[in-house]
Structures are given as C-alpha cells and as structure tokens.
C-alpha cells in the first residue's frame, strides 16, 4: 500500500498528509460516481418504463374510444335546434321558479287562466336525486326543450352545488326512431353514455375490465357502466339527459330496469323526456315532472306573434279592417294549438299563405277553425290538399325520404350503412332515374352547371308539391361530417353552389311516423308513387350515379360505404322481382380490374381466378373503380355478402335451388366473405 512504500515514508509529514487526503478523496469520488451512475440508470429505466406505460395507456384509450364510437352517436342532438324555428329563448322559463313564473305570466296574460305549476327543475338540478320526467304530446317541443337544457350554461351552474364532492359529467342521448339501430336501442344508449364519460374523464379507463374490444354485448355494456359509476377512487357525479325514450325500438322493460338502477345510485340522476305512454306513467308516477303542453302557451304565443302580427297589421290597414284582429289571431291560434308547437307552425303557414293571397281575414278564420285538432288528421288534410297533377312526384319525393331497405338489410353492415340524411342532390339523382328494369349504369357525368340548375328546379318542386311535409335546410357542418350521409362530398362543396349543400328532411318526426303507420297515407304512397321494387332500384341506380358523378373528388371511404348501400338496394330489388340484375351488375364488374370466379362442379369448390394484370394501378380508372384499405373492391364477393343469390348463381352457372350439384349453396355463398380481405 502507499503507506508502506519506502519512498512515501521518506516524504515530509505534511506532504504525506496531503497525499493521503487526495487518495481518500479519489476513493470517495469513485464511489460517488458509481452510486450516482446507478441512480441515474434506475431513474432513466423508470422514466422509459413510465413513458412506455403512458403510450400503452394512450393506445388502449384510443382503442376503447374507437370501439365504442358509432357514426351517428351525437347526430340526433345536433339536428335539434334549441332556438325554435328561429325564436330564441323560447324555454327560458325552465330554469325559473314555478311560483315566480306564475306571477309574472299572469301579469302579462290577457285572460284569467292560471298557469299550472310544475316540479321545480332548477331545484332538482341543484339538490334533487333520482329521475326528472319531461312528458308531452307529440309535437309539443320535447326534443327542442331537452336540447335547450343541454346547451344552456345555467344547467352547469345549477349542478355545481350537487357535484361539489366529485367531478361533474353530463352525458346525453337522443333516441331517434327514424335513425340507425344504435340511435334507437339500449345498446346505442349505453355505448354513447360510456363513450361520452370517457371523453370527459379519461382516468375512468382505469376502472374498466378490458376484454376483446369488438365484443360490446349489452350485458358487458351494463357491467362496464356499473364499474365506472360504482368505483370510489375517483369521485364523479353524473347527470344524464335522455330524450325521446318513447322512440326506442322494442320493449321498454329492459331500458326502464337499467334507468331505475342508475337513478338509485347516489352519484347519478337522470332527466328524460317522452310522450306520456301508459308504461312510462306507471314507471315514473312518483318522480318530479312537468307536462310540456301545459307550459308552452307563452312560447307558442310569442312564436305566432313573431310570424304573423306585422303581416296581419299590413293586411288590415290595406283592407281598412279591425286593427285588433292581429292580437285576436295570435290568441286564437295559440288556444287551438293546445300546447303543441307543431300544430301552431302548420296553422301559421296556413295564415301566411292566405294573407299573401290577400284572402279576407274572415275566410282565414274559417280555415283555422276547420283545421283538425289531432296531428294525424292534420297531416292527412295536408296530403289531401296536394293537387292531382303534383301527387305522383310528391309521393315519390316522400318515398325517397322514407327510403331504407330494412326488410333485406344485411346485418353485416348495420354499423356503417344506416344514413339518416338526404341531400337535395341525392334526391335529384334518385328521382331522375327512369329505368325500372335491369340495365347497365350510365357512367357519364352531369355538367356541374346542369346539376345546379336541376337542383334549383327540384327545390321549388319539393316545396310546392309536398304540402310542407318535407323541408329544405342548409347542410350544417357538424362535429364529424365524415360520419354523415356522403351523397355530396363536403370538401368539394365548400366552393360549390349553396343549393348542393341543401338537406331534405321531414318537418317533424310525427310526419314521418304518419306516412309509415297511417293506412290512408300508406295507400296514397303505394297508389301514386313507386312500387317497392322501383324505389329500391331507383335508389341503387341513383347512388351509383352519385359515385360516378363525384369520382376522384369524394373521399374513398365515403364512396365505398355508398357502394355497399347501393348493392344492398340491388339485392333487395332482386328479391322483390325474383330476378337477378345481371346487366346492372355487369356494368360494375370490369373484366380488366375485378376478381373473377368459377365453380368447380367436380368437387363443388369455388375457384378464385387470378387477374392477368400485374399492375392494377397502371389500369385506366373507370368511374366506379373503388378501393378499400388500399385494396381493389371485390364486387362479386360483396354481392354475395349482401345476399344477391340469383346473380351469383347466374354468374357461376349453377342452379339457384340447392341440388345434388350444389347441396350446400349457402355455404358456397358464405365462402365469398373470405375473399373480401384478399387482394386480387
């Protein structure tokens, strides 16, 4: 060692001391460096592991959110405008104290009637528990009120005290009978609620039992929602808003059981709306509620006054009539409406049409008095008033707006093929089809100026022919336009004529219900418009024309989804007429760039023929050439998958009825599914 070294021993004592100190310092420094290096390595390893875990959690969160999402998850609520027909703050009374409003309203009212009280909604938001039920007649404005509540800042303010001991979550769900399966089912409700809660508070993911994400069964959805709500590590307070419970498809027992279990939890309460069906009266007879048609008189009166007063005043001045008639008309229509906004809207249109024709006010009064009180009778009157010369086109417009081949809808495609929106451009392309027999598709594009002119003409026809049952509105950008009906490419239309950004819809859900459920209405459509086969064939041809029209300009996934829809309509046409649509399908299946099949009669096998073309991208692109996930579409396999049995059998030259030659025809057709993910 250094101390036993002879040379070191000969050194001066002070020098030896200095050397000893240096040696000791070096040893300590080495130990320090080794120790710090170990700490740094451990810290770095921990940081890397933490980042890997964060990335893994992010991936898992994205996968869960994606698995819960469906295209129309918020679309119904986005379609409801809480500013009723342009009249804002129609429902501000909902956040006021009922007794206070009674005094204010009676000061403003001209009549002696007292407004009925309702359960204090603001107090329920602040401190209430369980369920609050908003009930009302069809057309009384329930969805409008619910959306008004959901969008209003006062909702959050009143919920602040109730949610002081947890994070506030306010998921919403608007049932819609005319929408996709998930817009009118328990599964859609549960998926939407869980999706919104995870979007508002992603830490809730930690309490989910992660299983295969593609298997969201109803029981698993119920269990997952229970896991989120019952966990105690992350305190949450959840106020759920559900509109249109009566629009759910199927028995109400299950959804009422789920809602009852949810409302019984201390950290959950539910505000819901529906028509006053007996099953709901029995389920919610003890909960705080309001009856909407009893409370909308003031709002309806304000709406009528806004739409009619000035017009009536100008008319009476022109005719030298009683100037108090305007005020009388407002109260008369409001009284006849009996709290139903939709009735008032139709009555106002009748008055405006009469005044614009300079009809005498006494005659208009007789028209108002002759209007039926019930909406269904009122809709029938509107149908009866359509002039005979317009009835054929009117019936076809209404049938196209109602279109959906549910009878033959492929269960495989329910998540991606239910489109609820209809553009004016799509209506034109379907209505303009005149070929109601099997024939090839015309791929020639319509000049843009001609398409705009045609849509302008069609706009006038729709408004004049359908007696107000159909309305036209600008296409409003929503949170995820890619999930809407892609009949018209949204990016392309940014610089196009506004007429191509116009949507066609029914004036109200009850109008759609009337046309589908009323026997006289159904008879009118069947007698005057398309046959069912004609409607489905026209829809298929119109959609395929649309794809060709915007070829190269529309999104590939939109075009692919539309192509699937078109094939479903072709399949339903085949079933209705009992004959394959061979010529139409042949115009879609191009010899140079499609998969070809043959049937091996010796062993009953399906043989997939390999294309002779090596470089598919080098081929000229026909108008309907589509790709999905970077692969060319297998038109024949898709046709088999949507149930085009007669066409497939004709293509393979095999009998459509199972025989000794094809004993397992269904199994043979199913084998096409395996080819959908393969590249030719």
């Amino acid at each position: 060692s250094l101390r036993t070294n002879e040379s070191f021993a000969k050194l001066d004592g002070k020098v030896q001391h200095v050397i000893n100190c240096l040696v000791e310092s070096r040893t300590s420094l080495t130990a320090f460096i080794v120790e710090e290096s170990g700490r740094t390595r451990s810290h770095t390893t921990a940081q890397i592991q933490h980042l890997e875990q964060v990335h893994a959690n992010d991936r898992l969160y994205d996968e869960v959110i994606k698995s819960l999402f469906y295209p129309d998850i918020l679309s119904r609520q986005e379609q409801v405008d809480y500013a009723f027909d342009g009249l804002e703050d129609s429902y501000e009374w909902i956040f006021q104290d009922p007794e206070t409003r009674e005094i204010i309203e009676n000061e403003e009212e001209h009549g002696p009637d007292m407004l009925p009280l309702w359960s204090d909604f603001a107090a329920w938001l602040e401190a209430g528990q369980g369920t609050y039920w908003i009930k009302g007649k069809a057309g009384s404005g329930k969805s409008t009120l619910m959306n008004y509540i959901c969008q209003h800042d006062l909702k959050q303010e009143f919920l602040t005290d109730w949610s002081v001991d947890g994070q506030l979550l306010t998921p919403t769900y608007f049932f819609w009978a005319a929408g996709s399966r998930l817009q009118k089912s328990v599964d859609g409700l549960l998926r939407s609620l869980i999706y919104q809660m995870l979007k508002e508070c992603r830490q809730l993911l930690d309490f989910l039992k992660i299983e295969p994400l593609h298997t969201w069964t109803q029981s698993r959805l119920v269990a997952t929602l229970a896991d989120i709500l019952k966990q105690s590590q992350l305190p949450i307070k959840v106020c759920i808003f559900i509109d249109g419970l009566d629009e759910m498809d199927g028995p109400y027992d299950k959804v009422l059981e789920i809602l009852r279990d949810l409302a019984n939890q201390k950290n959950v309460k539910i505000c819901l709306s529906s028509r006053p069906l007996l099953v709901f009266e029995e389920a919610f007879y003890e909960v705080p509620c309001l009856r909407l048609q009893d409370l909308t008189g003031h709002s309806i009166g304000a709406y009528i006054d806004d739409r009619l007063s000035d017009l009536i005043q100008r008319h009476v001045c022109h005719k030298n009539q009683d100037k108090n008639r305007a005020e009388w008309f407002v109260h008369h229509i409001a009284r006849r409406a009996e709290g139903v906004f939709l009735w008032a809207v139709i009555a106002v249109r009748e008055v405006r049409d009469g005044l614009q024709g300079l009809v005498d006010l006494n005659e208009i009064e007789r028209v108002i008095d002759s209007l039926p009180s019930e909406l269904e009778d009122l809709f029938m009157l509107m149908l009866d008033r359509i002039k005979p010369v317009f009835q054929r086109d009117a019936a076809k417009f209404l049938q196209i707006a109602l279109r959906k081949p549910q009878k033959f809808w492929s269960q495989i495609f329910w998540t991606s093929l239910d489109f609820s929106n209809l553009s004016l451009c799509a209506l034109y392309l379907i209505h303009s089809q005149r070929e109601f027999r099997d024939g090839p598709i015309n791929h020639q594009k319509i000049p843009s100026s001609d398409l705009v002119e045609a849509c302008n003409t069609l706009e006038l026809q729709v408004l004049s022919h359908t007696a107000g049952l159909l309305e036209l509105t600008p296409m409003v950008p929503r949170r995820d336009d890619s999930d809407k009906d892609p009949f018209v490419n949204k990016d392309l239309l940014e610089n196009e004529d506004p007429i191509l950004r116009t949507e066609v819809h029914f004036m109200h859900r009850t109008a759609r219900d009337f046309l589908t459920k009323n026997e006289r209405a159904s008879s009118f459509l069947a007698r005057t418009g398309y046959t069912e086969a004609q409607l489905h064939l026209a829809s298929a041809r119109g959609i395929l024309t649309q794809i060709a029209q915007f070829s190269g300009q529309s999104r590939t996934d939109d075009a692919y989804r539309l192509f699937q829809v078109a094939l479903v309509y072709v399949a339903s046409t085949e079933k209705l007429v009992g004959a394959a649509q061979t010529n139409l399908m042949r115009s879609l299946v191009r010899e140079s760039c499609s998969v070809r099949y043959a049937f091996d009669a010796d062993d009953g096998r399906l043989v997939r023929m390999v294309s002779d073309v090596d470089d598919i991208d080098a081929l000229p692109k026909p108008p309907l050439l589509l790709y999905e996930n970077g692969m060319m579409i297998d038109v024949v396999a898709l046709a088999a998958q949507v149930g085009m049995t007669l066409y497939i059998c004709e293509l393979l030259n095999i009998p459509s009825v199972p025989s000794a030659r094809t004993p397992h025809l269904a199994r043979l057709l199913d084998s096409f599914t395996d080819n959908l993910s393969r590249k030719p």
Side-chain angles (χ1 to χ4, degrees):
S1 70
L2 180 62
R3 292 173 179 170
T4 59
N5 186 283
E6 292 183 2
S7 300
F8 178 78
K10 294 177 180 180
L11 295 175
D12 181 75
K14 293 181 178 180
V15 175
Q16 288 182 2
H17 177 71
V18 170
I19 292 173
N20 281 328
C21 288
L22 289 173
V23 170
E24 290 175 2
S25 297
R26 179 182 177 185
T27 303
S28 300
L29 180 61
T30 301
F32 174 77
I33 291 173
V34 171
E35 183 179 352
E36 284 302 310
S37 176
R39 290 177 181 173
T40 302
R41 186 164 48 251
S42 298
H43 177 73
T44 302
T45 301
Q47 286 293 101
I48 292 173
Q49 292 174 343
H50 173 71
L51 290 174
E52 289 176 345
Q53 186 61 49
V54 168
H55 290 316
N57 289 342
D58 287 343
R59 287 193 300 271
L60 179 60
Y61 175 79
D62 291 340
E63 290 174 5
V64 172
I65 288 294
K66 184 177 180 180
S67 69
L68 288 167
F69 179 81
Y70 54 92
D72 299 308
I73 197 165
L74 297 174
S75 65
R76 173 55 180 161
Q77 183 179 353
E78 291 169 337
Q79 291 169 356
V80 178
D81 189 356
Y82 64 83
F84 183 82
D85 202 18
L87 186 64
E88 296 184 0
D89 295 329
S90 301
Y91 294 109
E92 58 185 5
W93 52 264
I94 188 66
F95 295 112
Q96 299 172 3
D97 179 76
E99 294 182 357
T100 302
R101 181 175 183 264
E102 182 185 18
I103 296 171
I104 294 173
E105 291 291 348
N106 278 291
E107 288 177 349
E108 295 178 354
E109 284 292 313
H110 297 273
D113 294 340
M114 298 284 286
L115 285 176
L117 294 176
W118 70 96
S119 302
D120 193 324
F121 182 69
W124 179 83
L125 288 176
E126 284 184 313
Q129 294 292 335
T131 299
Y132 191 103
W133 183 28
I134 296 174
K135 59 181 176 178
K137 294 179 180 178
S140 59
K142 297 182 295 296
S143 295
T144 309
L145 173 58
M146 285 294 288
N147 197 36
Y148 179 89
I149 293 169
C150 292
Q151 300 291 335
H152 208 290
D153 293 338
L154 283 176
K155 175 201 69 176
Q156 297 294 121
E157 292 183 24
F158 284 120
L159 285 170
T160 300
D161 289 342
W162 177 73
S163 61
V164 68
D165 54 349
Q167 181 176 343
L168 176 63
L169 305 177
T170 56
T172 64
Y173 183 82
F174 281 54
F175 280 99
W176 194 25
S180 65
R181 188 187 74 90
L182 289 176
Q183 287 181 290
K184 54 186 176 184
S185 66
V186 174
D187 289 2
L189 166 68
L190 297 173
R191 282 176 64 167
S192 180
L193 296 180
I194 297 170
Y195 171 86
Q196 292 176 69
M197 292 167 68
L198 289 176
K199 292 285 282 187
E200 288 188 67
C201 181
R202 63 176 296 159
Q203 294 93 327
L204 292 173
L205 181 69
D206 297 339
F207 309 106
L208 267 64
K209 297 174 182 177
I210 304 302
E211 301 173 18
L213 296 178
H214 61 279
T215 56
W216 283 113
T217 62
Q218 187 175 116
S219 59
R220 184 185 172 195
L221 287 167
V222 171
T224 299
L225 186 58
D227 290 340
I228 291 175
L229 296 174
K230 292 180 179 179
Q231 56 79 28
S232 57
Q233 296 94 317
L234 180 61
I236 57 174
K237 301 298 285 287
V238 184
C239 185
I240 302 171
F241 296 86
I242 300 173
D243 176 62
L245 187 60
D246 55 292
E247 296 196 46
M248 195 195 81
D249 188 20
Y252 298 116
D253 297 350
K254 184 61 179 180
V255 72
L256 289 175
E257 178 186 346
I258 292 172
L259 294 178
R260 183 168 54 250
D261 290 344
L262 290 174
N264 285 335
Q265 299 189 47
K266 293 183 179 180
N267 63 333
V268 179
K269 58 184 175 182
I270 304 170
C271 172
L272 58 86
S273 74
S274 74
R275 288 181 295 163
L277 303 183
L278 179 60
V279 63
F280 301 140
E281 292 281 9
E282 293 176 347
F284 305 126
Y285 74 97
E286 289 183 321
V287 306
C289 68
L290 63 80
R291 197 169 74 159
L292 188 54
Q293 65 265 24
D294 293 340
L295 302 167
T296 52
H298 178 74
S299 296
I300 289 176
Y303 166 76
I304 298 169
D305 183 67
D306 181 73
R307 294 295 183 271
L308 289 184
S309 288
D310 289 345
L311 189 59
I312 293 177
Q313 289 292 0
R314 289 197 298 271
H315 186 87
V316 298
C317 289
H318 177 75
K319 294 274 190 175
N320 294 320
Q321 294 179 331
D322 184 1
K323 295 184 179 180
N324 293 324
R325 292 298 294 277
E327 185 176 324
W328 183 89
F329 263 104
V330 169
H331 286 283
H332 186 55
I333 296 173
R335 199 161 45 244
R336 290 235 37 216
E338 297 181 346
V340 179
F341 255 119
L342 183 57
W343 196 98
V345 170
I346 297 172
V348 165
R349 289 178 180 175
E350 292 284 337
V351 174
R352 290 182 67 89
D353 288 345
L355 290 176
Q356 289 169 357
L358 295 180
V359 176
D360 184 81
L361 288 181
N362 292 326
E363 185 177 341
I364 294 177
E365 180 183 345
R366 287 192 291 271
V367 170
I368 296 299
D369 289 338
S370 69
L371 293 178
S373 299
E374 296 299 323
L375 283 177
E376 187 166 306
D377 295 332
L378 192 55
F379 289 140
M380 196 66 239
L381 179 64
M382 295 166 71
L383 268 187
D384 290 339
R385 287 184 177 179
I386 298 175
K387 296 178 180 179
V389 69
F390 296 153
Q391 286 181 358
R392 182 171 296 279
D393 280 336
K396 290 181 177 180
F397 295 152
L398 294 170
Q399 285 176 314
I400 294 170
L402 287 167
R403 80 201 191 290
K404 189 176 291 185
Q406 293 173 323
K407 187 183 298 184
F408 307 113
W409 203 264
S410 172
Q411 188 66 23
I412 300 169
F413 291 143
W414 63 261
T415 56
S416 61
L417 298 190
D418 271 321
F419 300 123
S420 54
N421 295 357
L422 175 67
S423 68
L424 186 64
C425 179
L427 179 61
Y428 166 72
L429 292 173
I430 295 173
H431 182 257
S432 63
Q433 300 299 318
R434 296 292 181 265
E435 186 71 58
F436 297 120
R437 57 183 178 81
D438 181 26
I441 295 295
N442 182 3
H443 301 314
Q444 186 175 359
K445 294 186 178 183
I446 305 170
S448 180
S449 58
D450 291 351
L451 184 60
V452 169
E453 182 179 354
C455 287
N456 278 313
T457 301
L458 185 64
E459 177 184 30
L460 299 176
Q461 292 175 332
V462 170
L463 294 177
S464 64
H465 293 8
T466 61
L469 291 170
L470 290 180
E471 295 182 339
L472 304 177
T473 57
M475 189 179 292
V476 180
R478 300 185 176 104
R479 290 178 224 185
D480 191 350
D481 255 341
S482 65
D483 300 316
K484 303 300 168 189
D485 186 353
F487 271 113
V488 179
N489 176 263
K490 286 22 174 219
D491 297 330
L492 173 68
L493 293 182
E494 288 298 323
N495 300 315
E496 287 286 354
D497 192 286
I499 195 66
L500 298 181
R501 296 193 296 273
T502 300
E503 288 183 342
V504 183
H505 57 86
F506 286 97
M507 67 176 304
H508 191 265
R509 174 186 63 82
T510 51
R512 184 187 187 99
D513 292 345
F514 162 73
L515 290 169
T516 56
K517 298 175 182 178
N518 182 280
E519 290 186 6
R520 287 182 62 196
S522 299
S523 175
F524 168 80
L525 296 179
R527 181 181 70 254
T528 315
Y530 297 107
T531 66
E532 191 173 8
Q534 288 175 341
L535 175 61
H536 289 182
L537 186 57
S539 297
R541 300 181 71 88
I543 294 170
L544 293 169
T545 302
Q546 160 67 23
I547 297 172
Q549 179 69 27
F550 293 99
S551 175
Q553 300 168 322
S554 60
R555 292 162 45 109
T556 301
D557 55 344
D558 284 350
Y560 177 67
R561 292 169 68 200
L562 277 177
F563 190 77
Q564 290 177 310
V565 175
L567 291 189
V568 172
Y569 278 115
V570 176
S572 67
T573 303
E574 177 184 285
K575 289 179 173 65
L576 286 166
V577 302
Q581 302 300 297
T582 307
N583 293 322
L584 186 155
M585 291 302 298
R586 190 176 293 151
S587 68
L588 306 181
V589 181
R590 301 305 182 98
E591 288 294 334
S592 60
C593 55
S594 68
V595 184
R596 285 171 289 167
Y597 294 89
F599 179 69
D600 188 337
D602 293 333
D603 58 8
R605 280 192 316 111
L606 179 71
V607 180
R608 192 170 192 268
M609 311 298 289
V610 179
S611 174
D612 296 331
V613 181
D614 293 328
D615 188 4
I616 293 175
D617 292 331
L619 290 170
K621 300 295 188 291
L624 286 174
L625 181 61
L626 303 168
Y627 290 85
E628 189 223 1
N629 299 327
M631 299 181 186
M632 188 178 66
I633 285 182
D634 189 339
V635 177
V636 176
L638 277 175
Q641 194 175 27
V642 299
M644 232 177 282
T645 307
L646 299 179
Y647 166 69
I648 295 298
C649 290
E650 187 173 309
L651 187 71
L652 299 179
N653 192 28
I654 59 177
S656 57
V657 178
S659 63
R661 184 167 176 248
T662 57
H664 303 293
L665 181 58
R667 189 183 307 167
L668 174 66
L669 295 178
D670 288 341
S671 66
F672 279 97
T673 303
D674 298 333
N675 296 307
L676 285 175
S677 60
R678 301 182 195 169
K679 190 170 182 178

